[in-house]
Amino acid sequence: MPHNPARLKVIDRAFALTVEVHRLAEQHADGLSARGPGLRSQMLRAADSVASNLTEAAAFDSPKRCESFLRVAIGSCNELELQLRLAVALCAFPDIANDWIDETIVVRKMIFGWRKYLQRRESNAGAVEPQTPTPTQTQTQTQTET
């Protein structure tokens, strides 16, 4: 069953992270442009991609379709983390960016948890419950063995 994106904490956190990365990039646009041409736009695209792909994932009932969007969101988290670290290392961002690196890691862990939930759900859907033999089956089996 598809999820309501407005009720998923991981999407709320990814959205808040995206907003903060946009604010940080706006406040330090000159430093980013001077130290890493293209870094700002890549960083913003990666941040946008995390929340967008999570929202897309929530729309699908199929675990496989949902997982494909979750994989993209995980990749975007990886990319965003690297770009934030690079901006800090190049002194384009203040140390406050380390808080957003930590938040990116938290969001990524939440996505992994969602993916693991889907994988468990899918593996349990294919499992067949052992059936308890009916009295007639037990009686027939006993007669066949003798």
Side-chain angles (χ1 to χ4, degrees), residues 5-118:
R7 297 184 65 202
L8 293 173
K9 286 184 169 98
V10 66
I11 294 176
D12 288 344
R13 288 187 80 154
F15 178 79
L17 175 63
T18 301
V19 169
E20 289 305 319
V21 168
H22 274 267
R23 286 183 182 149
L24 197 58
E26 186 62 34
Q27 291 168 357
H28 302 282
D30 293 340
L32 278 173
S33 297
R35 290 177 182 87
L39 179 59
R40 180 178 186 272
S41 63
Q42 281 185 286
M43 186 182 306
L44 295 177
R45 278 196 302 269
D48 293 346
S49 176
V50 175
S52 296
N53 278 288
L54 292 176
T55 303
E56 289 262 6
F60 291 101
D61 191 25
S62 162
K64 293 242 186 256
R65 292 288 308 268
C66 184
E67 277 188 71
S68 68
F69 285 99
L70 296 180
R71 279 192 303 273
V72 173
I74 289 167
S76 295
C77 279
N78 292 342
E79 185 178 357
L80 178 59
E81 180 187 356
L82 173 73
Q83 291 159 352
L84 288 168
R85 287 184 189 281
L86 182 58
V88 170
L90 295 173
C91 300
F93 276 173
D95 287 340
I96 188 81
N98 287 316
D99 293 343
W100 301 116
I101 293 169
D102 293 343
E103 183 63 12
T104 302
I105 293 167
V106 169
V107 168
R108 183 174 52 230
K109 286 179 180 178
M110 292 174 80
I111 299 168
F112 274 116
W114 186 359
R115 196 172 92 181
K116 191 173 186 177
Y117 163 78
L118 289 174

